[in-house]
Amino acid sequence: DTGVSQDPRHKITKRGQNVTFRCDPISEHNRLYWYRQTLGQGPEFLTYFQNEAQLEKSRLLSDRFSAERPKGSFSTLEIQRTEQGDSAMYLCASSLGTGMYSPLHFGNGTRLTVT
Amino acid sequence: AQSVSQHNHHVILSEAASLELGCNYSYGGTVNLFWYVQYPGQHLQLLLKYFSGDPLVKGIKGFEAEFIKSKFSFNLRKPSVQWSDTAEYFCAVNAGGTSYGKLTFGQGTILTVHP
């Protein structure tokens, strides 16, 4: 178990630029989740995938955000035309979705700073 | 929609002191309840969970939590804390019938334990 890997660890970008983050889940995990955490707050659910299918998106996820998991393995989260309010830690988590409970395994996150 | 409130933002204790961190949630239906912990520089990890049955649940490292349905509470306790318990603790709720990984987190409580 090599854990959930996220890349990059830190990203600084200027307002208006596009950014893309990558998440590599634990290899046998078919469910993958994206969360966002701002300073002083707990993580907020953004979206999740079962295999390559995006099953749910939060209303927090504006049109500028898009997530993909093309082959049911790694996932990318893209933010277009970044705004200062997008500055946050973006967390990825994975689990084995079999109908029985399987704990979430979180990555260390990608910290985005929009200047 | 559900919400979670954690009563204390920062708790400071000396080693061997007893700990209780408050958590209240707002949701009218069936819930699954969790406590997650984030040690300095590490990823979020599951401390304990409650789905059904005995409302007193035990987790790792001597932590326990009690679900009191009438109070919509799920407080975390430990009889005697150690310096290594210094971390941020998050209470989280999952609405019954939704994906186990779709969680609503509280704001977090930072615990500092002095040796």
Side-chain angles (χ1 to χ4, degrees):
Chain A
D1 179 355
T2 57
V4 176
S5 176
Q6 292 188 245
D7 184 69
R9 291 295 303 274
H10 303 274
K11 178 71 177 178
I12 300 173
T13 191
K14 292 185 178 179
R15 188 176 53 193
Q17 297 294 304
N18 299 343
V19 294
T20 300
F21 311 139
R22 177 180 170 122
C23 171
D24 286 272
I26 293 171
S27 58
E28 66 269 24
H29 284 182
N30 60 345
R31 289 193 175 175
L32 187 148
Y33 301 80
W34 285 99
Y35 280 81
R36 179 174 65 190
Q37 185 176 16
T38 53
L39 204 59
Q41 300 297 318
E44 296 172 299
F45 170 81
L46 294 179
T47 187
Y48 92 95
F49 292 83
Q50 177 149 321
N51 300 312
E52 65 275 9
Q54 188 173 19
L55 295 188
E56 190 168 346
K57 292 197 297 185
S58 165
R59 284 168 289 179
L60 293 174
L61 213 61
S62 78
D63 292 344
R64 297 183 296 105
F65 288 69
S66 62
E68 293 182 344
R69 194 182 183 199
K71 297 182 180 179
S73 56
F74 73 91
S75 176
T76 57
L77 178 68
E78 181 183 16
I79 309 173
Q80 296 183 325
R81 305 181 302 283
T82 52
E83 301 173 357
Q84 287 190 320
D86 297 330
S87 295
M89 177 75 84
Y90 290 84
L91 297 170
C92 177
S94 69
S95 70
L96 189 61
T98 62
M100 300 294 288
Y101 173 72
S102 169
L104 279 184
H105 294 254
F106 281 88
N108 285 320
T110 293
R111 182 170 296 283
L112 173 66
T113 302
V114 181
T115 62
Chain B
Q2 58 267 40
S3 64
V4 179
S5 177
Q6 293 184 236
H7 307 158
N8 310 98
H9 177 64
H10 195 178
V11 173
I12 302 172
L13 296 173
S14 298
E15 273 193 320
S18 64
L19 170 71
E20 181 160 4
L21 301 182
C23 172
N24 285 91
Y25 66 93
S26 171
Y27 185 67
T30 303
V31 293
N32 301 311
L33 298 159
F34 306 81
W35 276 96
Y36 278 81
V37 61
Q38 187 166 25
Y39 297 103
Q42 297 188 27
H43 56 267
L44 275 167
Q45 54 189 286
L46 182 66
L47 200 55
L48 51 77
K49 64 186 184 295
Y50 171 80
F51 284 176
S52 63
D54 188 343
L56 185 63
V57 293
K58 296 189 183 299
I60 60 172
K61 303 186 180 185
F63 286 91
E64 64 180 31
E66 185 176 14
F67 170 51
I68 302 179
K69 188 174 182 179
S70 60
K71 295 185 177 180
F72 297 89
S73 70
F74 190 56
N75 292 354
L76 181 70
R77 299 195 292 247
K78 185 171 185 179
S80 175
V81 296
Q82 301 173 314
W83 174 78
S84 58
D85 293 325
T86 294
E88 188 162 17
Y89 294 79
F90 294 93
C91 181
V93 165
N94 163 248
T98 63
S99 164
Y100 287 126
K102 184 184 176 187
L103 300 174
T104 300
F105 284 87
Q107 310 93 312
T109 298
I110 298 169
L111 172 65
T112 302
V113 180
H114 292 301

Short mmCIF file of all heavy atoms in Angstrom, two decimals, chain B residues 15-65:
data_model
loop_
_atom_site.label_atom_id
_atom_site.label_comp_id
_atom_site.label_asym_id
_atom_site.label_seq_id
_atom_site.Cartn_x
_atom_site.Cartn_y
_atom_site.Cartn_z
N GLU B 15 0.00 16.53 29.49
CA GLU B 15 -0.02 15.07 29.41
C GLU B 15 -0.74 14.50 30.62
O GLU B 15 -0.62 15.00 31.73
CB GLU B 15 1.41 14.52 29.34
CG GLU B 15 1.95 14.45 27.94
CD GLU B 15 3.23 13.62 27.85
OE1 GLU B 15 4.06 13.75 28.77
OE2 GLU B 15 3.39 12.87 26.87
N ALA B 16 -1.47 13.42 30.38
CA ALA B 16 -2.23 12.68 31.39
C ALA B 16 -3.59 13.32 31.69
O ALA B 16 -4.40 12.71 32.41
CB ALA B 16 -1.47 12.49 32.69
N ALA B 17 -3.84 14.49 31.16
CA ALA B 17 -5.16 15.09 31.35
C ALA B 17 -6.19 14.33 30.52
O ALA B 17 -5.85 13.67 29.54
CB ALA B 17 -5.14 16.56 30.94
N SER B 18 -7.44 14.46 30.91
CA SER B 18 -8.50 13.82 30.15
C SER B 18 -8.99 14.77 29.05
O SER B 18 -8.91 15.98 29.17
CB SER B 18 -9.67 13.44 31.05
OG SER B 18 -10.25 14.60 31.61
N LEU B 19 -9.47 14.17 27.97
CA LEU B 19 -9.87 14.93 26.79
C LEU B 19 -11.32 14.64 26.46
O LEU B 19 -11.77 13.49 26.48
CB LEU B 19 -9.01 14.52 25.60
CG LEU B 19 -9.43 15.05 24.22
CD1 LEU B 19 -9.17 16.54 24.12
CD2 LEU B 19 -8.70 14.29 23.11
N GLU B 20 -12.05 15.69 26.12
CA GLU B 20 -13.35 15.52 25.49
C GLU B 20 -13.52 16.62 24.47
O GLU B 20 -13.44 17.81 24.80
CB GLU B 20 -14.51 15.57 26.49
CG GLU B 20 -15.87 15.37 25.80
CD GLU B 20 -16.97 14.92 26.74
OE1 GLU B 20 -16.73 14.83 27.95
OE2 GLU B 20 -18.08 14.66 26.24
N LEU B 21 -13.72 16.23 23.23
CA LEU B 21 -13.95 17.18 22.14
C LEU B 21 -15.41 17.05 21.69
O LEU B 21 -15.87 15.95 21.39
CB LEU B 21 -13.02 16.89 20.96
CG LEU B 21 -11.53 16.95 21.24
CD1 LEU B 21 -10.75 16.70 19.95
CD2 LEU B 21 -11.13 18.28 21.85
N GLY B 22 -16.07 18.18 21.63
CA GLY B 22 -17.49 18.16 21.30
C GLY B 22 -17.76 18.17 19.81
O GLY B 22 -17.02 18.77 19.02
N CYS B 23 -18.81 17.48 19.42
CA CYS B 23 -19.25 17.46 18.03
C CYS B 23 -20.77 17.35 18.01
O CYS B 23 -21.33 16.42 18.60
CB CYS B 23 -18.63 16.30 17.27
SG CYS B 23 -19.30 16.06 15.61
N ASN B 24 -21.41 18.26 17.33
CA ASN B 24 -22.85 18.18 17.11
C ASN B 24 -23.13 18.24 15.62
O ASN B 24 -22.45 18.95 14.89
CB ASN B 24 -23.58 19.32 17.82
CG ASN B 24 -23.67 19.10 19.30
OD1 ASN B 24 -22.80 19.52 20.05
ND2 ASN B 24 -24.71 18.41 19.73
N TYR B 25 -24.12 17.52 15.20
CA TYR B 25 -24.46 17.52 13.78
C TYR B 25 -25.93 17.89 13.62
O TYR B 25 -26.74 17.78 14.55
CB TYR B 25 -24.17 16.17 13.13
CG TYR B 25 -25.05 15.06 13.64
CD1 TYR B 25 -26.23 14.73 12.98
CD2 TYR B 25 -24.70 14.35 14.78
CE1 TYR B 25 -27.05 13.73 13.46
CE2 TYR B 25 -25.51 13.34 15.26
CZ TYR B 25 -26.68 13.04 14.60
OH TYR B 25 -27.50 12.05 15.08
N SER B 26 -26.23 18.33 12.43
CA SER B 26 -27.59 18.69 12.10
C SER B 26 -28.01 17.89 10.88
O SER B 26 -27.48 18.08 9.79
CB SER B 26 -27.68 20.19 11.79
OG SER B 26 -28.95 20.52 11.26
N TYR B 27 -28.90 16.93 11.11
CA TYR B 27 -29.43 16.12 10.02
C TYR B 27 -30.54 15.27 10.57
O TYR B 27 -30.38 14.65 11.62
CB TYR B 27 -28.35 15.23 9.39
CG TYR B 27 -28.82 14.46 8.18
CD1 TYR B 27 -29.16 15.13 7.00
CD2 TYR B 27 -28.97 13.08 8.22
CE1 TYR B 27 -29.62 14.43 5.89
CE2 TYR B 27 -29.43 12.38 7.12
CZ TYR B 27 -29.75 13.06 5.95
OH TYR B 27 -30.20 12.37 4.86
N GLY B 28 -31.65 15.21 9.89
CA GLY B 28 -32.82 14.52 10.43
C GLY B 28 -32.87 13.04 10.18
O GLY B 28 -33.66 12.34 10.80
N GLY B 29 -32.06 12.55 9.26
CA GLY B 29 -32.15 11.14 8.90
C GLY B 29 -31.07 10.30 9.54
O GLY B 29 -30.38 10.72 10.47
N THR B 30 -30.92 9.12 9.01
CA THR B 30 -29.89 8.19 9.51
C THR B 30 -28.51 8.71 9.14
O THR B 30 -28.29 9.19 8.02
CB THR B 30 -30.08 6.81 8.87
OG1 THR B 30 -31.40 6.34 9.17
CG2 THR B 30 -29.06 5.83 9.41
N VAL B 31 -27.60 8.64 10.09
CA VAL B 31 -26.25 9.13 9.83
C VAL B 31 -25.21 8.09 10.23
O VAL B 31 -25.45 7.24 11.08
CB VAL B 31 -25.94 10.44 10.60
CG1 VAL B 31 -26.78 11.58 10.09
CG2 VAL B 31 -26.12 10.25 12.09
N ASN B 32 -24.09 8.17 9.58
CA ASN B 32 -22.89 7.47 10.00
C ASN B 32 -21.93 8.54 10.48
O ASN B 32 -21.83 9.62 9.88
CB ASN B 32 -22.27 6.69 8.84
CG ASN B 32 -23.25 5.67 8.27
OD1 ASN B 32 -23.86 4.90 9.00
ND2 ASN B 32 -23.42 5.68 6.95
N LEU B 33 -21.21 8.27 11.57
CA LEU B 33 -20.40 9.30 12.21
C LEU B 33 -18.95 8.88 12.30
O LEU B 33 -18.66 7.69 12.52
CB LEU B 33 -20.95 9.58 13.62
CG LEU B 33 -22.39 10.11 13.62
CD1 LEU B 33 -23.04 9.87 14.97
CD2 LEU B 33 -22.41 11.59 13.30
N PHE B 34 -18.07 9.85 12.15
CA PHE B 34 -16.65 9.57 12.09
C PHE B 34 -15.86 10.63 12.87
O PHE B 34 -16.29 11.78 12.97
CB PHE B 34 -16.14 9.60 10.64
CG PHE B 34 -16.88 8.70 9.69
CD1 PHE B 34 -18.09 9.08 9.14
CD2 PHE B 34 -16.35 7.47 9.35
CE1 PHE B 34 -18.77 8.25 8.26
CE2 PHE B 34 -17.02 6.63 8.46
CZ PHE B 34 -18.23 7.02 7.92
N TRP B 35 -14.72 10.21 13.34
CA TRP B 35 -13.69 11.15 13.78
C TRP B 35 -12.43 10.83 12.97
O TRP B 35 -12.02 9.66 12.89
CB TRP B 35 -13.39 11.03 15.27
CG TRP B 35 -14.32 11.81 16.13
CD1 TRP B 35 -15.45 11.35 16.77
CD2 TRP B 35 -14.22 13.19 16.48
NE1 TRP B 35 -16.06 12.37 17.47
CE2 TRP B 35 -15.32 13.51 17.31
CE3 TRP B 35 -13.31 14.21 16.17
CZ2 TRP B 35 -15.53 14.79 17.85
CZ3 TRP B 35 -13.51 15.48 16.70
CH2 TRP B 35 -14.61 15.75 17.53
N TYR B 36 -11.86 11.90 12.40
CA TYR B 36 -10.60 11.79 11.68
C TYR B 36 -9.55 12.60 12.44
O TYR B 36 -9.86 13.59 13.11
CB TYR B 36 -10.72 12.34 10.26
CG TYR B 36 -11.32 11.36 9.28
CD1 TYR B 36 -12.69 11.18 9.20
CD2 TYR B 36 -10.50 10.61 8.43
CE1 TYR B 36 -13.24 10.27 8.31
CE2 TYR B 36 -11.04 9.71 7.53
CZ TYR B 36 -12.41 9.54 7.48
OH TYR B 36 -12.94 8.65 6.59
N VAL B 37 -8.31 12.22 12.26
CA VAL B 37 -7.21 12.93 12.90
C VAL B 37 -6.15 13.25 11.85
O VAL B 37 -5.93 12.48 10.91
CB VAL B 37 -6.60 12.10 14.05
CG1 VAL B 37 -6.04 10.78 13.56
CG2 VAL B 37 -5.51 12.88 14.78
N GLN B 38 -5.55 14.42 12.00
CA GLN B 38 -4.45 14.80 11.12
C GLN B 38 -3.26 15.21 11.99
O GLN B 38 -3.28 16.28 12.62
CB GLN B 38 -4.85 15.94 10.20
CG GLN B 38 -3.81 16.28 9.16
CD GLN B 38 -4.35 17.16 8.05
OE1 GLN B 38 -5.32 17.90 8.23
NE2 GLN B 38 -3.72 17.11 6.89
N TYR B 39 -2.25 14.34 12.06
CA TYR B 39 -1.03 14.66 12.80
C TYR B 39 -0.20 15.65 11.99
O TYR B 39 -0.32 15.70 10.76
CB TYR B 39 -0.26 13.39 13.10
CG TYR B 39 -1.02 12.44 13.99
CD1 TYR B 39 -1.63 11.30 13.46
CD2 TYR B 39 -1.16 12.68 15.36
CE1 TYR B 39 -2.35 10.43 14.26
CE2 TYR B 39 -1.89 11.83 16.16
CZ TYR B 39 -2.48 10.71 15.61
OH TYR B 39 -3.21 9.86 16.40
N PRO B 40 0.63 16.43 12.63
CA PRO B 40 1.42 17.44 11.91
C PRO B 40 2.18 16.85 10.74
O PRO B 40 2.91 15.86 10.89
CB PRO B 40 2.37 17.96 13.00
CG PRO B 40 1.64 17.75 14.28
CD PRO B 40 0.86 16.48 14.09
N GLY B 41 1.98 17.42 9.57
CA GLY B 41 2.70 16.98 8.38
C GLY B 41 2.18 15.70 7.76
O GLY B 41 2.77 15.19 6.80
N GLN B 42 1.10 15.17 8.26
CA GLN B 42 0.57 13.90 7.74
C GLN B 42 -0.82 14.09 7.14
O GLN B 42 -1.43 15.12 7.27
CB GLN B 42 0.54 12.85 8.84
CG GLN B 42 1.90 12.48 9.40
CD GLN B 42 1.83 11.31 10.35
OE1 GLN B 42 0.93 10.48 10.26
NE2 GLN B 42 2.78 11.25 11.26
N HIS B 43 -1.30 13.04 6.48
CA HIS B 43 -2.61 13.09 5.89
C HIS B 43 -3.69 12.74 6.91
O HIS B 43 -3.40 12.20 7.97
CB HIS B 43 -2.67 12.14 4.69
CG HIS B 43 -2.31 10.72 5.04
ND1 HIS B 43 -1.04 10.22 4.93
CD2 HIS B 43 -3.07 9.71 5.53
CE1 HIS B 43 -1.02 8.96 5.32
NE2 HIS B 43 -2.24 8.64 5.69
N LEU B 44 -4.92 13.07 6.56
CA LEU B 44 -6.06 12.71 7.39
C LEU B 44 -6.17 11.20 7.50
O LEU B 44 -6.01 10.48 6.51
CB LEU B 44 -7.35 13.21 6.75
CG LEU B 44 -7.78 14.64 7.03
CD1 LEU B 44 -8.87 15.05 6.07
CD2 LEU B 44 -8.25 14.78 8.47
N GLN B 45 -6.48 10.72 8.70
CA GLN B 45 -6.68 9.28 8.86
C GLN B 45 -7.84 9.04 9.83
O GLN B 45 -8.10 9.84 10.72
CB GLN B 45 -5.41 8.58 9.32
CG GLN B 45 -4.75 9.14 10.55
CD GLN B 45 -3.40 8.52 10.80
OE1 GLN B 45 -3.29 7.37 11.22
NE2 GLN B 45 -2.34 9.27 10.53
N LEU B 46 -8.47 7.91 9.64
CA LEU B 46 -9.65 7.57 10.43
C LEU B 46 -9.26 7.18 11.84
O LEU B 46 -8.36 6.36 12.06
CB LEU B 46 -10.39 6.41 9.76
CG LEU B 46 -11.68 5.94 10.44
CD1 LEU B 46 -12.75 7.03 10.37
CD2 LEU B 46 -12.18 4.66 9.79
N LEU B 47 -9.95 7.77 12.81
CA LEU B 47 -9.73 7.47 14.22
C LEU B 47 -10.76 6.45 14.71
O LEU B 47 -10.43 5.47 15.37
CB LEU B 47 -9.84 8.77 15.02
CG LEU B 47 -9.24 8.87 16.41
CD1 LEU B 47 -7.78 8.50 16.40
CD2 LEU B 47 -9.43 10.28 16.95
N LEU B 48 -12.01 6.69 14.39
CA LEU B 48 -13.08 5.76 14.73
C LEU B 48 -14.34 6.11 13.96
O LEU B 48 -14.45 7.17 13.36
CB LEU B 48 -13.35 5.76 16.24
CG LEU B 48 -13.57 7.08 16.96
CD1 LEU B 48 -14.95 7.65 16.74
CD2 LEU B 48 -13.32 6.92 18.47
N LYS B 49 -15.31 5.19 14.00
CA LYS B 49 -16.55 5.39 13.27
C LYS B 49 -17.70 4.75 14.02
O LYS B 49 -17.52 3.82 14.80
CB LYS B 49 -16.45 4.77 11.87
CG LYS B 49 -16.28 3.25 11.89
CD LYS B 49 -16.04 2.71 10.51
CE LYS B 49 -15.97 1.18 10.51
NZ LYS B 49 -14.82 0.66 11.29
N TYR B 50 -18.90 5.28 13.76
CA TYR B 50 -20.11 4.70 14.29
C TYR B 50 -21.11 4.55 13.15
O TYR B 50 -21.43 5.52 12.45
CB TYR B 50 -20.73 5.58 15.39
CG TYR B 50 -22.10 5.10 15.80
CD1 TYR B 50 -22.23 4.04 16.68
CD2 TYR B 50 -23.25 5.67 15.27
CE1 TYR B 50 -23.48 3.57 17.03
CE2 TYR B 50 -24.50 5.21 15.62
CZ TYR B 50 -24.61 4.15 16.50
OH TYR B 50 -25.87 3.68 16.83
N PHE B 51 -21.66 3.33 13.02
CA PHE B 51 -22.71 3.09 12.05
C PHE B 51 -24.02 2.73 12.75
O PHE B 51 -25.08 3.26 12.43
CB PHE B 51 -22.33 1.96 11.08
CG PHE B 51 -21.32 2.37 10.05
CD1 PHE B 51 -20.81 1.43 9.16
CD2 PHE B 51 -20.86 3.66 9.95
CE1 PHE B 51 -19.86 1.80 8.20
CE2 PHE B 51 -19.93 4.04 9.00
CZ PHE B 51 -19.43 3.09 8.13
N SER B 52 -23.95 1.80 13.67
CA SER B 52 -25.15 1.36 14.38
C SER B 52 -24.69 0.54 15.58
O SER B 52 -23.51 0.26 15.76
CB SER B 52 -26.05 0.54 13.47
OG SER B 52 -25.40 -0.64 13.05
N GLY B 53 -25.66 0.15 16.41
CA GLY B 53 -25.35 -0.71 17.55
C GLY B 53 -24.93 0.08 18.76
O GLY B 53 -25.45 1.17 19.03
N ASP B 54 -23.98 -0.46 19.50
CA ASP B 54 -23.50 0.15 20.73
C ASP B 54 -23.07 1.60 20.47
O ASP B 54 -22.18 1.84 19.65
CB ASP B 54 -22.32 -0.65 21.29
CG ASP B 54 -21.90 -0.19 22.67
OD1 ASP B 54 -22.28 0.92 23.10
OD2 ASP B 54 -21.16 -0.96 23.34
N PRO B 55 -23.71 2.56 21.15
CA PRO B 55 -23.37 3.96 20.87
C PRO B 55 -22.00 4.38 21.37
O PRO B 55 -21.54 5.48 21.04
CB PRO B 55 -24.47 4.73 21.60
CG PRO B 55 -24.94 3.81 22.67
CD PRO B 55 -24.79 2.43 22.12
N LEU B 56 -21.36 3.55 22.15
CA LEU B 56 -20.00 3.86 22.60
C LEU B 56 -19.03 3.06 21.72
O LEU B 56 -19.02 1.83 21.74
CB LEU B 56 -19.83 3.47 24.07
CG LEU B 56 -18.49 3.84 24.71
CD1 LEU B 56 -18.29 5.35 24.71
CD2 LEU B 56 -18.41 3.30 26.13
N VAL B 57 -18.26 3.79 20.93
CA VAL B 57 -17.35 3.11 20.01
C VAL B 57 -15.92 3.40 20.40
O VAL B 57 -15.59 4.49 20.87
CB VAL B 57 -17.60 3.53 18.55
CG1 VAL B 57 -18.94 3.04 18.09
CG2 VAL B 57 -17.51 5.04 18.38
N LYS B 58 -15.10 2.41 20.19
CA LYS B 58 -13.67 2.56 20.51
C LYS B 58 -12.87 2.60 19.22
O LYS B 58 -13.16 1.89 18.26
CB LYS B 58 -13.22 1.41 21.40
CG LYS B 58 -13.93 1.41 22.76
CD LYS B 58 -13.34 0.41 23.73
CE LYS B 58 -14.13 0.39 25.03
NZ LYS B 58 -14.13 1.70 25.72
N GLY B 59 -11.86 3.45 19.23
CA GLY B 59 -11.01 3.58 18.06
C GLY B 59 -9.58 3.26 18.39
O GLY B 59 -9.28 2.63 19.40
N ILE B 60 -8.70 3.76 17.52
CA ILE B 60 -7.28 3.50 17.72
C ILE B 60 -6.71 4.42 18.81
O ILE B 60 -7.31 5.44 19.15
CB ILE B 60 -6.50 3.70 16.40
CG1 ILE B 60 -6.67 5.14 15.89
CG2 ILE B 60 -6.96 2.70 15.36
CD1 ILE B 60 -5.78 5.48 14.71
N LYS B 61 -5.61 4.03 19.37
CA LYS B 61 -4.82 4.83 20.30
C LYS B 61 -5.60 5.23 21.55
O LYS B 61 -5.33 6.29 22.13
CB LYS B 61 -4.25 6.07 19.60
CG LYS B 61 -3.39 5.69 18.39
CD LYS B 61 -2.71 6.88 17.76
CE LYS B 61 -1.88 6.43 16.56
NZ LYS B 61 -1.10 7.51 15.96
N GLY B 62 -6.55 4.41 21.98
CA GLY B 62 -7.25 4.66 23.23
C GLY B 62 -8.39 5.66 23.15
O GLY B 62 -8.96 6.04 24.18
N PHE B 63 -8.73 6.13 21.96
CA PHE B 63 -9.84 7.06 21.80
C PHE B 63 -11.17 6.33 21.77
O PHE B 63 -11.25 5.18 21.34
CB PHE B 63 -9.68 7.87 20.51
CG PHE B 63 -8.62 8.93 20.57
CD1 PHE B 63 -7.32 8.64 20.19
CD2 PHE B 63 -8.93 10.20 21.01
CE1 PHE B 63 -6.33 9.61 20.27
CE2 PHE B 63 -7.95 11.18 21.07
CZ PHE B 63 -6.65 10.89 20.71
N GLU B 64 -12.20 7.00 22.23
CA GLU B 64 -13.55 6.49 22.15
C GLU B 64 -14.50 7.66 21.89
O GLU B 64 -14.14 8.81 22.10
CB GLU B 64 -13.96 5.74 23.42
CG GLU B 64 -14.02 6.61 24.66
CD GLU B 64 -14.43 5.83 25.89
OE1 GLU B 64 -14.13 4.63 25.98
OE2 GLU B 64 -15.07 6.45 26.76
N ALA B 65 -15.68 7.33 21.42
CA ALA B 65 -16.68 8.37 21.16
C ALA B 65 -18.05 7.80 21.49
O ALA B 65 -18.30 6.60 21.34
CB ALA B 65 -16.64 8.83 19.72
#
